[in-house]
Amino acid sequence: VHHTRGKRRAARLAQRRRHGIRAGLIGTTVVALLFAMVALVLTGERNVQFDLDGTPVSVRTRSVTVEELLRVRGVAIGTEDEVRPGLGASLADGMQVIVRRARDIILDVDGVLTTVRTTAATIPELRAQQRLAPELVPTAESLTIDPGGPVVLRTPRAVTLSVDGSTVTSDTTALTVQ
């Protein structure tokens, strides 16, 4: 009886050891996989859509944050510049990063010239930022703001032109009869 009890006890101890070793191996494997996943996330490449002042490009990067991406690409950010998402945001695959640098542009609204500071890349963005009247229309065909030229907006007007007894009515954005 004493001998049988000893064998059972030894068998239970051996089973506990095997179970402990198995649990230890599983735990070690799980921890190793977690470390590998974290390392992959932190050092893996991401495909990011990077839009700098209205010019979008696809970028493959190992950067972890928006700020690191901008530093690696040599993009300096000023206090009035706009960055979306924020500089501290973590990058993810497929994410869009938008940078609009503030600059002075000449705005011509119905012949009145002003210089405005803006981060807008398009006329609709400028219209929203400057709270411009919705009826103002650009005279240029493109809605993209040309950094070198003025942005010209006009209020359309209905005019009636009478010449030698003929009358023509049309809409125009011209400032003068000429």
Side-chain angles (χ1 to χ4, degrees), residues 19-146:
H19 181 72
I21 291 170
R22 200 175 306 132
L25 286 173
I26 291 171
T28 302
T29 303
V30 168
V31 169
L33 284 172
L34 285 173
F35 275 118
M37 287 171 45
V38 167
L40 181 62
V41 166
L42 293 178
T43 62
E45 283 194 342
R46 294 154 189 79
N47 291 315
V48 176
Q49 293 300 313
F50 181 63
D51 183 331
L52 179 61
D53 294 326
T55 305
V57 293
S58 290
V59 174
R60 290 180 61 88
T61 183
R62 289 191 175 276
S63 299
V64 177
T65 64
V66 171
E67 184 174 25
E68 184 181 352
L69 172 69
L70 298 180
R71 188 177 61 249
V72 167
R73 296 195 61 83
V75 177
I77 299 298
T79 57
E80 294 178 314
D81 296 344
E82 182 181 341
V83 180
R84 292 178 300 199
L87 293 174
S90 296
L91 292 177
D93 200 45
M95 182 179 213
Q96 184 176 27
V97 176
I98 299 172
V99 176
R100 297 288 187 265
R101 291 182 285 199
R103 68 206 182 283
D104 290 331
I105 63 165
I106 297 171
L107 180 60
D108 175 346
V109 178
D110 289 333
V112 177
L113 300 176
T114 56
T115 300
V116 296
R117 188 132 182 99
T118 184
T119 58
T122 66
I123 302 290
E125 289 173 2
L126 179 67
R127 184 188 311 275
Q129 282 183 5
Q130 299 295 318
R131 295 181 180 89
L132 298 170
E135 63 271 8
L136 290 170
V137 296
T139 58
E141 288 184 29
S142 173
L143 291 179
T144 303
I145 295 175
D146 175 13

